[in-house]
Amino acid sequence: MNLNRVINILDMPDLTLRLHFTRKRGTCYISYSPSIEPELQSELIGLIKEHLRRFRELDQIGFSPVGYREETIEFCTCDYVNNYNDVVTSYNEENLDREPLDDDIINRLNFYCLELTFIEEEVEKKIRFFRRVTRFKKLTSKGFFGWIRDNSFNKVDSNLLGIDGEVDIIVYEEEMLILNHISLERIFSLAEQYLEKAQTAIDFIRNADRISNFEQFENDCLNDRRVARILTKMLTEEARLENCFENFANVVNVIEIFELDIDIDNSEIPKIIYSNKEQLMDVIRLVRDSYYKSIINERKGIDDGI
């Protein structure tokens, strides 16, 4: 995404800004759209521009569920996020919840979106800025906020929400620019998506038919968040999945070289004997072909790169 282009759009005249607060209930997203005073709209746009300028020089790399690299920002398509369209659909006028935003609802909100509409070449376009909700629960549970008027301190009776102009995710022209890795996962509930993707990857491994006690292996994979992320990443490395255990003699060799606590069933079709969860990461690394020996010094290593 061209971040300078986004910043330039924020300088355009006649911008329209809408604010959507969203909470998740079960598998549904419920959104509320309070109005914003024009002066506050201008202030928010200024804060966003100031924040985005910090990221202009950073390299942009593809999003990885396994982790992120320092001094980079990530991107992905909107199609990558299964729940994105559900969130945006909740912003439609006919779907908005008109219930007043009382304290109970405020405490359930998960994130907000600043939706910017502009006209370019007589076409209406949108940029969406997502941010996880900032609450002030710690202070409001043991103290309170207030303001000073006429040299008198007055208590704020309602729970507070913070909008600071910082941005976690930008969506423009069907692309997401991710300024905060964990926020993409939290806002769009990617943990559920990772489980679905992990199951698809596990099906590839099942088809290879090289792991005994596969049901336990599958259950352990799906109950380990780190492994679910790795399996999700492996779907972008589909050739590795399709060819996993293809050269099984090399698998046995790696087990011996790295002295892995894994036994082999040497029946007609040799298989890895999966016994317990302590073996899980070693088996996943075998599937991913993560073990290596350097050419020059024959140095042994493990590539767990993102």
Side-chain angles (χ1 to χ4, degrees), residues 195-214:
L195 285 177
E196 295 175 13
K197 300 287 187 181
Q199 185 63 65
T200 301
I202 288 169
D203 292 340
F204 276 100
I205 302 170
R206 178 187 287 105
N207 291 337
D209 195 25
R210 290 290 190 168
I211 299 176
S212 65
N213 198 14
F214 194 87

Side-chain angles (χ1 to χ4, degrees), residues 102-113:
D102 58 20
D103 288 355
D104 182 60
I105 292 175
I106 287 173
N107 286 329
R108 297 171 186 268
L109 297 176
N110 303 114
F111 60 92
Y112 63 85
C113 172

Side-chain angles (χ1 to χ4, degrees), residues 10 59 83 120 128 157 196 218 245-246 282 298 301 305:
L10 291 170
D59 290 336
N83 294 336
E120 186 175 58
R128 296 185 176 98
D157 292 325
E196 295 175 13
E218 179 177 14
F245 301 137
E246 190 172 79
D282 287 336
E298 297 188 345

